Amino acid sequence: MQVLCWLLCLGTAGALAVLHKNQVAQQAIKLYRGKGVQQGHSWLAGNCKQLVGLLRQKNVVVKKLAAAAVAVGKDQSLSEPERLFQVHTLEVFQKELNESEHLVFQAVQSLQRALQGDYRDVVNMKESSRQRLEALREAAIKEEQEYVELVAAEKHQQEALKSALAQNKTLSMLDEILEDVRKAADRLEEVIEEHAFDNNKQMKGVNVEAVLRVEDEEKSGKRKNKSQQREVEDDLGLSMLIDSQNNQYVLTKPRDSTMPRADHHFIKDLVSVVMLSLPCGWICSLVGLPPMFGYIICGVLLGPSCLNSIKSMVQVETLGELGVFFTLFVVGLEFSPERVRKVWKISVQGSCYLSLLMVGAGLLWGQVLHIRYTQTVFVSTCLSLSSTPLVSRFLAGGSRGDKEGDLDYSSVLLGMLVMQDVQLGLFIAIMPTLIQAQSGDLDSLLFGSLRVLYLLAQVLGSLAAVLLLCLLLKSFLIGPYYKKLHAESKGNKEILVLGMAAFVFFMLTVTDFLDVSMELGCFLAGALLSTQGHMVTNEVMGCIEPIRDFLTIIFFASIGLHVFPTFVLYELTILLVLTLTLVIMKFGMAVLVLSLILPPNSRHIRWVVSAGLAQVSEFSFVLGSRARRAGIISREVYLLVLSVTTLSLLLAPVLWRVTTRRWVPWAERKLLT
């Protein structure tokens, strides 16, 4: 009865609103006539009269709907659910009429705003276009909702017909079982239905976008042969969507969770990367280059700059990040506690001094070239970081030798790289402050300075908490945990692999929760396991290294996806000059810092350590993209950082090989003499 009263009120309000809308139509005629346009007056008047006639006809239909609702309410032969269903159908039709009427007068108001505006005012025209676009988006959402309601009504009507037929015939035992299963399946769909679109539509920051649905040619060809529209609608899950900003999306969670689905784009991308990485890495090995060169070239060939065959770039890069995690875990396994205690002071001092020197040099160049200090601080900090996965591959690819003097170069190098990963977490934390300082407001600058100090104290507290947790795990958990895994994994290595991966992800989650670098958590997981002895380390590495190697190939291929040969060729001269200047400057700064902080009998290793630090970390891609979206750096600076980072990574193996072949034998001869 409440629904019936609501429909009657709508009908009365619609009848009273017709007079007002007739006045709007007459006002449109006066407005059009006032602009001095006489030709077409009869056309406008005729269409306005037709509009008034349609509104009156709509009023008549509303009265008929109200009468139909009354008839449904009085029909005693209908059950309560059937009565509610029919009333709901009338409501849907009523909303369709109201929405169509609303769109007509919305168009009239838009015409009125356009006629009153100045055609020379581009800002006003842009605002009018934006308002029309928002109105169209809202209308599309409402139309979609009405379509869904009509589909539900059609389904209900079909169910009612099935129930009526079932009452007229005797069902077999199998039919009764299937009917019960059907009802249980309907209840399951109602339970697992999340209504994510409706729940998120009104949230703050949610924008309605127009998207294009792109389907594979093979699938679209198959759908042409299908006869039922229902089958077509159910098979639209893995189509690619493209928004107005040319961002591409694939399905992450289907509406129907009972049906398994697979992202075939991602599978094809992985197949392409693996199959092309083999010949590229093989050729590089034959000519004497590290295989990682070939993996990067594979990414270049498959990326947007060449074949453009990778459709799931984000998914491939995400899988490559797992390669970084397991690489640092293996590095931690080889980083014994004795080596940690010996180099921690040098690692902290060296990484901090290098960062300060790079930032100072960046500010100096910024003053000379009149560049904003926020941009120079960001670029300098980005370029001060070095690639931990790349150096880890260097150290794993050749013999490190025994300890040269009191310190071995691998311990010092890995210690400084790990501290740079900690600085990376701090830098990511203070990026919002750089964004605030971009506005140039004095108050926000002072507030930003205090915020930096607060974040620094917070990161130091987080590091202290992580170290305390490591001490507790080393004392009470690591030993029993590994013994239990070892006992359960006899004859079944998958338990050991799963246990190690779970421990890595646990430490990763802890450090991420404490706002410290996730890479540090992976490194600490390996360092904690290395305290159990060489036998444990060798067993774990035998299980993890194949996984690490496969994921690392994906990681280096994902780096190649961001290399653009055309841009490099266009700006080859300036990019080579910038890259060589940066590599030489980082090498010289590292030699200077290490000469000051290393013990006198270990200063000969400063050349090898400096060669390992004389490149730029691949995390500059991530930091650069965030800074570009936030407006800290321009598009041109972002492309320069991207290209210089890539070229430095390509030059790093050459510099490392030259340095290790020249200075390591020289250091050994010096120790012998």
Side-chain angles (χ1 to χ4, degrees), residues 612-658:
L613 297 174
Q615 27 76 22
V616 184
S617 173
E618 66 283 346
F619 288 106
S620 298
F621 300 150
V622 180
L623 295 176
S625 62
R626 292 186 181 183
R628 183 185 173 187
R629 286 195 298 266
I632 298 178
I633 61 176
S634 62
R635 180 191 61 177
E636 292 76 13
V637 175
Y638 169 72
L639 289 176
L640 287 176
V641 170
L642 202 66
S643 302
V644 169
T645 300
T646 304
L647 291 178
S648 69
L649 291 175
L650 294 177
L651 290 176
V654 179
L655 180 61
W656 175 261
R657 179 165 295 185
V658 171

Side-chain angles (χ1 to χ4, degrees), residues 279-291 293-294 297 654 657 661:
C280 292
W282 199 348
I283 293 174
C284 287
S285 299
L286 291 177
V287 298
L289 293 175
F293 263 155
I297 294 174
V654 179
R657 179 165 295 185
R661 286 183 177 180

Side-chain angles (χ1 to χ4, degrees), residues 555-567:
F555 168 73
F556 284 111
S558 67
I559 291 179
L561 297 177
H562 299 282
V563 178
F564 302 97
T566 53
F567 179 78

Side-chain angles (χ1 to χ4, degrees), residues 564-579:
F564 302 97
T566 53
F567 179 78
V568 175
L569 291 177
Y570 290 152
E571 304 294 339
L572 182 60
T573 303
I574 187 173
L575 290 176
L576 286 177
V577 171
L578 290 176
T579 304

Side-chain angles (χ1 to χ4, degrees), residues 422 425-426 429 454-465 514-516:
V422 176
L426 175 62
Y454 169 75
L455 290 173
L456 179 61
Q458 186 178 8
V459 170
L460 293 177
S462 299
L463 287 175
L514 294 174
D515 293 328
V516 188

Side-chain angles (χ1 to χ4, degrees), residues 14-24:
L16 293 176
V18 172
L19 294 176
H20 171 69
K21 292 169 181 175
N22 290 339
Q23 295 174 359
V24 173

Side-chain angles (χ1 to χ4, degrees), residues 431-449:
M431 276 192 68
T433 305
L434 288 176
I435 297 174
Q436 293 178 0
Q438 186 76 9
S439 61
D441 189 4
L442 182 61
D443 295 335
S444 64
L445 182 59
L446 295 176
F447 176 76
S449 302

